[in-house]
C-alpha cells in the first residue's frame, strides 16, 4: 500500500477546497491560530512513517487528550472506572448537560466533557502529582520529553469555562466527583491545553493500533482487551453527535478536538493524525473529516 502517494494526492486536493468551517473562538486563545494550517502524519506498524504540510507544528490537542487520560486511568484502575461513567454514545454535543440529570450524574462516556471531568477526578485521587504524572505518561508514549501544557490556552479556557464549571458542579451534586471542583477543572483545562504536532500525536497513539503495546520496546501500556475497548469507544463516541457520520464516511476509531486535530486508528496497521483548525458545526475539523473520508476511500482500508 503506497500510503505516501495517496496522502500526497488527497492533501493537494483538500488543501484548496473551500473551508466551510469556523475557528473555535469560544476559547479566545484558539482564535489566534492561523486557520490555513493543514498537516497530516501517518505512523504505521510495518510501512514506515510519512508527514506532509504543517505536520511538525504544534497545536492544542483539546479533547484528543481525553483518550490519553482515559488510557492512564484504565491502566491504573482497570474495570472499576466503569462504575463512574458509561460506554454509550451520547448523541449530544461535547459540552451538553441534558443527560446528566436523568442519568444521576453518570456521564454517558469518557469522551464528552462530563466524562473527561470524571476521569480527571479519578486521576487526581490516584496520582501523586496529577499534572506531572500525566505529562510523563504522554511523554513516554510519544518518546518526547519536551511535550507540555499551554498555560495561555488553559488560562484562556478557565476564563470562559462556565459550562465545564456547571458540568463539574452538577456531577458533584450527585456524588460522582470526589475532589474539589476547582482542582478538578484546573487539571481538566490543563489536559485540554496539551500541545502536540501531528507526528507526535500519531506516534503517541500507535499503541492503540498495536494491541496496547508501545512499538519501540513492546511494553504493554494497556491489555489487548483494554486497547480494543478504547478503540471501540473512539469508534462509537469519538466525534460526539457526529460519531455515526464518521463511522459511515471514514470507518475507523478516532477522536477529534476543538483545536482542529483528529487522530484515527487502524488496528494492526497505522495511526493517522490530521490538523486543520476550522471546525464544522459539530466541533470537528472540517478539512480533517474530508481528508480522512478520502483517505479510507482511496486506500480501501477500514475496519469494516
Ligand atoms: N477544552 C474544550 C472544552 O472543554 C474541549 C472540547 C473539545 O475539544 N471538543 O470545551
Amino acid at each position: 500500500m503506497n500510503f505516501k502517494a495517496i496522502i500526497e494526492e488527497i492533501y493537494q486536493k483538500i488543501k484548496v477546497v473551500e473551508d466551510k468551517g469556523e475557528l473555535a473562538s469560544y476559547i479566545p486563545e484558539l482564535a489566534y491560530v492561523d486557520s490555513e494550517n493543514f498537516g497530516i502524519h501517518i505512523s504505521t506498524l510495518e510501512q514506515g512513517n510519512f508527514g506532509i504540510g504543517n505536520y511538525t507544528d504544534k497545536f492544542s490537542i483539546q479533547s484528543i487528550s481525553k483518550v490519553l487520560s482515559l488510557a492512564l486511568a484504565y491502566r491504573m484502575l482497570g474495570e472499576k472506572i466503569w462504575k463512574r461513567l458509561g460506554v454509550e454514545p451520547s448523541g449530544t454535543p461535547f459540552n451538553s448537560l441534558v443527560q446528566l440529570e436523568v442519568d444521576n450524574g453518570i456521564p454517558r462516556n469518557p469522551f464528552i466533557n462530563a466524562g473527561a471531568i470524571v476521569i480527571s477526578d479519578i486521576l487526581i485521587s490516584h496520582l501523586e502529582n496529577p499534572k506531572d504524572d500525566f505529562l510523563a505518561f504522554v511523554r513516554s508514549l510519544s518518546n518526547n520529553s519536551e511535550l507540555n501544557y499551554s498555560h495561555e490556552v488553559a488560562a484562556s479556557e478557565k476564563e470562559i469555562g462556565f459550562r465545564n464549571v456547571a458540568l463539574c458542579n452538577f456531577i458533584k451534586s450527585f456524588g460522582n466527583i470526589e475532589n474539589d471542583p476547582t482542582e478538578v477543572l484546573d487539571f481538566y483545562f490543563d489536559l485540554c491545553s496539551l500541545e502536540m504536532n501531528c507526528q507526535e500525536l500519531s506516534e503517541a497513539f500507535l499503541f492503540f493500533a498495536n494491541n496496547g503495546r508501545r512499538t519501540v520496546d513492546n511494553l504493554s501500556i494497556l491489555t489487548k482487551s483494554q486497547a480494543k475497548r478504547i478503540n471501540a469507544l473512539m469508534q462509537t463516541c469519538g466525534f460526539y453527535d457526529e460519531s455515526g457520520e464518521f463511522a459511515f464516511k471514514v470507518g475507523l476509531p478516532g477522536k477529534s478536538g476543538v483545536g482542529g486535530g483528529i487522530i484515527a486508528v487502524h488496528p494492526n496497521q497505522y495511526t493517522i493524525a490530521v490538523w486543520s483548525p476550522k471546525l464544522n458545526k459539530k466541533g470537528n475539523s472540517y478539512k480533517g473529516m474530508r481528508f480522512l473520508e478520502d483517505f479510507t476511500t482511496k486506500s480501501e482500508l477500514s475496519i469494516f
Side-chain angles (χ1 to χ4, degrees):
M1 176 65 58
N2 193 345
F3 288 131
K4 180 171 181 280
I6 296 173
I7 291 171
E8 272 170 345
E9 184 191 331
I10 305 169
Y11 171 80
Q12 298 303 343
K13 176 187 150 195
I14 302 290
K15 196 174 160 55
V16 294
V17 302
E18 184 197 350
D19 196 334
K20 298 199 178 129
E22 302 272 349
L23 284 173
S25 54
Y26 81 99
I27 300 175
E29 199 67 24
L30 293 184
Y32 301 136
V33 175
D34 180 353
S35 61
E36 292 298 308
N37 281 302
F38 186 32
I40 294 127
H41 189 272
I42 189 168
S43 299
T44 76
L45 293 182
E46 280 171 6
Q47 298 179 69
N49 304 329
F50 174 69
I52 194 164
N54 303 96
Y55 72 97
T56 57
D57 293 348
K58 288 190 193 295
F59 58 94
S60 191
I61 72 165
Q62 291 295 321
S63 282
I64 299 174
S65 70
K66 292 176 166 87
V67 188
L68 300 172
S69 53
L70 170 65
L72 181 56
Y74 204 12
R75 173 180 162 83
M76 289 168 57
L77 299 164
E79 301 309 316
K80 64 171 177 258
I81 61 170
W82 305 120
K83 291 194 184 118
R84 307 262 314 262
L85 71 171
V87 293
E88 291 298 335
S90 69
T92 57
F94 60 86
N95 55 8
S96 174
L97 283 127
V98 288
Q99 290 164 341
L100 278 174
E101 172 106 63
V102 279
D103 292 347
N104 294 314
I106 304 290
R108 285 279 163 105
N109 68 66
F111 296 154
I112 46 174
N113 288 10
I117 288 170
V118 168
I119 291 289
S120 300
D121 182 58
I122 291 173
L123 288 177
I124 289 175
S125 296
H126 291 91
L127 294 172
E128 200 131 318
N129 299 300
K131 291 186 183 185
D132 292 346
D133 297 348
F134 177 74
L135 207 49
F137 176 64
V138 182
R139 285 175 175 173
S140 79
L141 291 178
S142 61
N143 211 8
N144 179 345
S145 57
E146 316 260 286
L147 290 184
N148 225 326
Y149 306 118
S150 159
H151 298 300
E152 290 77 23
V153 172
S156 180
E157 184 162 10
K158 213 174 274 182
E159 273 175 29
I160 53 79
F162 306 112
R163 259 184 180 265
N164 288 320
V165 172
L167 282 167
C168 191
N169 282 291
F170 199 40
I171 302 168
K172 175 103 180 160
S173 78
F174 288 100
N176 196 18
I177 292 285
E178 291 174 352
N179 298 285
D180 172 15
T182 312
E183 191 188 350
V184 176
L185 288 162
D186 181 60
F187 183 42
Y188 170 80
F189 291 137
D190 260 22
L191 298 185
C192 293
S193 80
L194 195 65
E195 294 189 319
M196 291 170 83
N197 62 37
C198 290
Q199 184 167 14
E200 291 158 346
L201 209 48
S202 64
E203 290 296 321
F205 271 71
L206 201 52
F207 75 98
F208 287 111
N210 194 36
N211 296 310
R213 291 183 178 274
R214 199 164 65 175
T215 52
V216 278
D217 53 4
N218 220 27
L219 178 79
S220 175
I221 306 295
L222 295 175
T223 66
K224 195 171 173 179
S225 159
Q226 288 175 324
K228 179 206 73 182
R229 288 180 167 195
I230 294 188
N231 283 336
L233 286 169
M234 282 195 263
Q235 180 74 67
T236 52
C237 313
F239 298 80
Y240 321 110
D241 42 344
E242 205 171 31
S243 298
E245 180 124 350
F246 191 79
F248 182 71
K249 289 184 170 166
V250 180
L252 294 176
K255 184 76 201 81
S256 62
V258 292
I262 300 180
I263 181 78
V265 179
H266 194 310
N268 302 311
Q269 297 259 1
Y270 64 77
T271 53
I272 187 163
V274 184
W275 174 46
S276 169
K278 285 189 171 180
L279 311 177
N280 67 17
K281 294 213 160 47
K282 309 275 187 182
N284 301 316
S285 170
Y286 178 80
K287 285 195 175 181
M289 301 283 278
R290 294 274 311 257
F291 177 89
L292 289 168
E293 180 181 357
D294 279 8
F295 181 67
T296 51
T297 305
K298 277 248 148 66
S299 61
E300 296 184 356
L301 278 177
S302 93
I303 65 163
F304 298 107

